Amino acid sequence: DIQMTQSPSSLSASVGDRVTITCRASQSIGIHLHWHQRKPGKAPKLLMYAASSLQSGVPSRFSGSGSGTEFTLTISSLQPEDFATYFCQQSYSSPPTFGQGTKVEIK
Amino acid sequence: QVQLQESGPGLVKPSQTLSLTCTVSGASINSGSYYWSWIRQPAGKGLEWIGRIFSSGSTDYNPSLRNRVTISMDTSKNQFSLGLTSVTAADTAMYYCARGRTIFGVIVVGESWGRGTLVTVSS
């Protein structure tokens, strides 16, 4: 299985900060990388697909980049509703696998 | 807008079968454009994809669970279900159902998710 490694596992940030989360794949996965957001008690939400495509309805402060083995999710200006856990997921090969998650907390 | 809702027992005894149902609203599970997955997350661990079912009824399972898993669908109720046999404490987890589709040649497993349901395996 392809291993997905996210960093950091958690971070503290303030409203307005620029936040970057990294996801690394154990082998090249092209652009078959997606980012999800999860908040307690809510359904996880797809933010980005195919590394850099913004899912419909997701604010443009979210962006994604990368290809091959290294990917980033960037929040350009953190908003109060963005405090959540973010996780990456690859779909290049089966089974799909996920990163361990990055918890974004309020500083 | 599609909504998914997991349901089923929150407590299952060891060696028994875990059975969960995902009820889909706002979309037909018959649609050929989508497929329907189960994903789980044990406490303190990462997410694990369990398997999926296509509108045709064909299935695809994680090899790590393949000999214990069955995913089925009931189109009359617009539901799909998970069965996991011979459970142990290691199967204690939050279980999610999700809708996926292929977008420009890229498989997206979790385009939409349910909120999840916690299943504990304990006697």
Side-chain angles (χ1 to χ4, degrees):
Chain A
D1 297 0
I2 296 176
Q3 305 302 314
M4 306 302 295
T5 303
Q6 265 183 258
S7 60
S9 56
S10 66
L11 64 90
S12 295
S14 301
V15 172
D17 284 354
R18 181 181 181 88
V19 169
T20 298
I21 300 169
T22 298
C23 182
R24 290 187 173 86
S26 60
Q27 65 184 74
S28 179
I29 59 171
I31 60 167
H32 297 254
L33 186 284
H34 322 296
W35 292 97
H36 304 266
Q37 177 195 64
R38 183 175 59 197
K39 298 179 182 179
K42 294 196 171 183
K45 175 184 174 182
L46 176 68
L47 298 176
M48 312 286 308
Y49 63 93
S52 62
S53 295
L54 195 67
Q55 171 71 342
S56 176
V58 174
S60 58
R61 62 180 178 272
F62 290 92
S63 63
S65 64
S67 66
T69 61
E70 187 155 337
F71 302 85
T72 59
L73 173 71
T74 299
I75 309 172
S76 60
S77 178
L78 198 65
Q79 297 302 300
E81 61 267 31
D82 301 337
F83 292 96
T85 297
Y86 296 84
F87 53 95
C88 61
Q89 176 238 320
Q90 69 82 20
S91 59
Y92 178 78
S93 70
S94 189
T97 49
F98 298 82
Q100 291 290 101
T102 296
K103 187 173 185 179
V104 177
E105 298 175 304
I106 301 172
K107 182 182 283 185
Chain B
Q1 184 172 346
V2 65
Q3 291 191 323
L4 299 93
Q5 177 68 57
E6 305 88 350
S7 60
L11 182 65
V12 182
K13 288 183 167 47
S15 80
Q16 293 191 341
T17 296
L18 180 160
S19 297
L20 295 175
T21 295
C22 183
T23 300
V24 179
S25 57
S28 171
I29 63 171
N30 261 340
S31 170
S33 302
Y34 300 103
Y35 45 84
W36 310 90
S37 291
W38 286 98
I39 297 158
R40 71 180 183 177
Q41 185 168 28
K45 296 189 177 182
L47 289 151
E48 179 181 35
W49 179 78
I50 299 170
R52 62 181 172 179
I53 188 165
F54 297 84
S55 59
S56 63
S58 63
T59 54
D60 180 22
Y61 299 133
N62 191 320
S64 67
L65 297 167
R66 182 172 289 140
N67 61 349
R68 297 197 292 133
V69 173
T70 301
I71 297 176
S72 59
M73 63 197 310
D74 184 338
T75 56
S76 67
K77 296 180 180 178
N78 217 37
Q79 296 174 333
F80 64 105
S81 298
L82 169 69
L84 183 65
T85 61
S86 306
V87 296
T88 69
D91 296 307
T92 294
M94 182 71 79
Y95 285 77
Y96 297 94
C97 58
R99 182 179 81 169
R101 66 179 175 124
T102 300
I103 308 174
F104 301 120
V106 176
I107 297 169
V108 182
V109 169
E111 185 203 41
S112 299
W113 298 67
R115 293 188 176 192
T117 188
L118 180 62
V119 178
T120 301
V121 178
S122 175
S123 55

